[in-house]
Amino acid sequence: MMRFDSALGLSSRRGPLATSLKVLLYTAMVLVFTGPLVGLLASAFNRTLDPTKFTLWPDQPTLENFVQAGNMNVYHYLFNSFVVVGFGLLLQMLVSVFAAYALARKKFRGMGVVMLIMLATMMMPEEIIAIPLSLVLSDMPVLHVDLIGTYAGMILPLGAWGFSILVMTEFMKEVPIELEEAARIDGAGELRIFATIILPLCRPALGVIGVFGFTMIWDQYMLPLIVAPEPDMFTLPIALRSLRSNEEVGIGVLLAASLLALLPSIIAFLAFQRQFMRGLTSGAIKG
């Protein structure tokens, strides 16, 4: 049986005092981490809302806040976010697995430089590349296409993310080379080896980059702010900032929109939970 020891060593303690301490500590942890979420959920369905009052259950349950959120085009902004995250995550995962395959299974000159460049992109804040990115998107090199004001302008820059590539690279390095050599002896080509041997063994890593990639794209603020010149192109994070600055929008509508912005990330984690946990566990064991 697998055993989990807490950092405080509480699992090794016995007796009524230790049990009471565990219950008290775990209850406090649950309240700290789930209290704001429960408060947001209750307040989003509350008719009469006092911003200074914390509630765990709506006094007058209603869907009026969500109806008013629809009148403020929140669902259109939510649709924009789903379009960007859907195509952006698909593109990001495709780029990550193919780039990782090249870095993990092939040897070529300049590999160290490529890894260094990817690490450098992860260390730079978004604000540093905001102006160069806007210049590139307004006049794409070679093609000379203006992507400002288009979905493509918000999706293409998300295709390459250093974190996803590095995670996939480390997992692919752990795939035994003997499996690849046996497949080559049987006449399998490069693409078949990648699709039927390497990629299936990296499913836990796909769960990890899927969850982190979804969260990263969903929470994007700087890129949609650069690309979207009109409110019709806003994603939900941008719209939340606009709603917050609008004095005509009530706190209930803002909380309803915030709940809509939060739920997709939770659903994405639950959908990829098994692969995500397996990926983290595999990484810890390999490390």
Side-chain angles (χ1 to χ4, degrees):
M1 182 180 294
M2 186 175 296
R3 177 181 175 184
F4 295 93
D5 293 328
S6 68
L8 300 178
L10 294 178
S11 58
S12 63
R13 305 294 181 181
R14 299 292 184 270
L17 181 61
T19 302
S20 301
L21 181 60
K22 291 178 186 179
V23 172
L24 181 62
L25 180 59
Y26 296 152
T27 302
M29 293 174 60
V30 170
L31 291 177
V32 169
F33 287 104
T34 64
L37 178 60
V38 174
L40 173 63
L41 182 63
S43 299
F45 291 94
N46 201 4
R47 182 183 299 275
T48 58
L49 185 64
D50 183 0
T52 63
K53 181 181 178 182
F54 181 81
T55 179
L56 296 178
W57 188 260
D59 299 328
Q60 301 179 17
T62 180
L63 295 176
E64 183 63 25
N65 293 329
F66 293 91
V67 174
Q68 294 183 18
N71 296 333
M72 301 299 296
N73 291 329
V74 169
Y75 297 111
H76 177 72
Y77 304 140
L78 183 64
F79 172 78
N80 289 341
S81 293
F82 276 123
V83 170
V84 173
V85 78
F87 288 99
L89 183 60
L90 178 61
L91 178 62
Q92 186 178 106
M93 295 184 73
L94 286 174
V95 172
S96 297
V97 294
F98 282 110
Y101 181 70
L103 292 171
R105 316 301 293 188
K106 305 298 178 181
K107 302 295 182 182
F108 57 88
R109 287 186 177 182
M111 182 183 298
V113 176
V114 173
M115 298 294 288
L116 182 62
I117 293 174
M118 286 193 299
L119 287 173
T121 61
M122 296 172 58
M123 298 175 185
M124 290 189 300
E126 292 183 344
E127 293 78 6
I128 294 180
I129 62 173
I131 295 178
L133 182 61
S134 64
L135 295 176
V136 171
L137 292 176
S138 62
D139 186 13
M140 288 289 292
V142 181
L143 300 177
H144 299 292
V145 177
D146 184 7
L147 297 181
I148 300 296
T150 65
Y151 284 115
M154 288 188 282
I155 294 172
L156 290 180
L158 301 171
W161 189 29
F163 174 82
S164 297
I165 296 175
L166 290 175
V167 169
M168 289 302 304
T169 300
E170 293 304 315
F171 267 81
M172 288 187 180
K173 285 182 179 178
E174 299 297 327
V175 177
I177 192 65
E178 292 78 11
L179 296 177
E180 186 176 342
E181 293 175 349
R184 293 187 187 279
I185 293 175
D186 292 339
E190 201 74 43
L191 187 59
R192 184 179 177 184
I193 292 174
F194 170 77
T196 61
I197 297 178
I198 305 297
L199 202 56
L201 294 177
C202 295
R203 286 181 181 176
L206 292 175
V208 173
I209 68 172
V211 171
F212 280 107
F214 184 97
T215 304
M216 186 274 287
I217 298 173
W218 186 262
D219 294 337
Q220 274 290 319
Y221 184 85
M222 186 65 67
L223 181 59
L225 190 63
I226 295 173
V227 177
E230 300 293 336
D232 287 343
M233 290 291 299
F234 284 178
T235 56
L236 198 51
I238 304 296
L240 284 175
R241 183 67 182 88
S242 300
L243 292 175
R244 185 179 179 183
S245 61
N246 190 344
E247 297 180 355
E248 298 180 358
V249 177
I251 185 68
V253 177
L254 184 60
L255 290 176
S258 300
L259 181 61
L260 292 174
L262 178 64
L263 286 179
S265 296
I266 298 177
I267 295 173
F269 173 76
L270 294 177
F272 289 101
Q273 182 181 11
R274 179 175 298 180
Q275 290 82 2
F276 180 76
M277 298 307 298
R278 285 178 57 193
L280 293 182
T281 305
S282 300
I285 294 175
K286 292 172 185 177

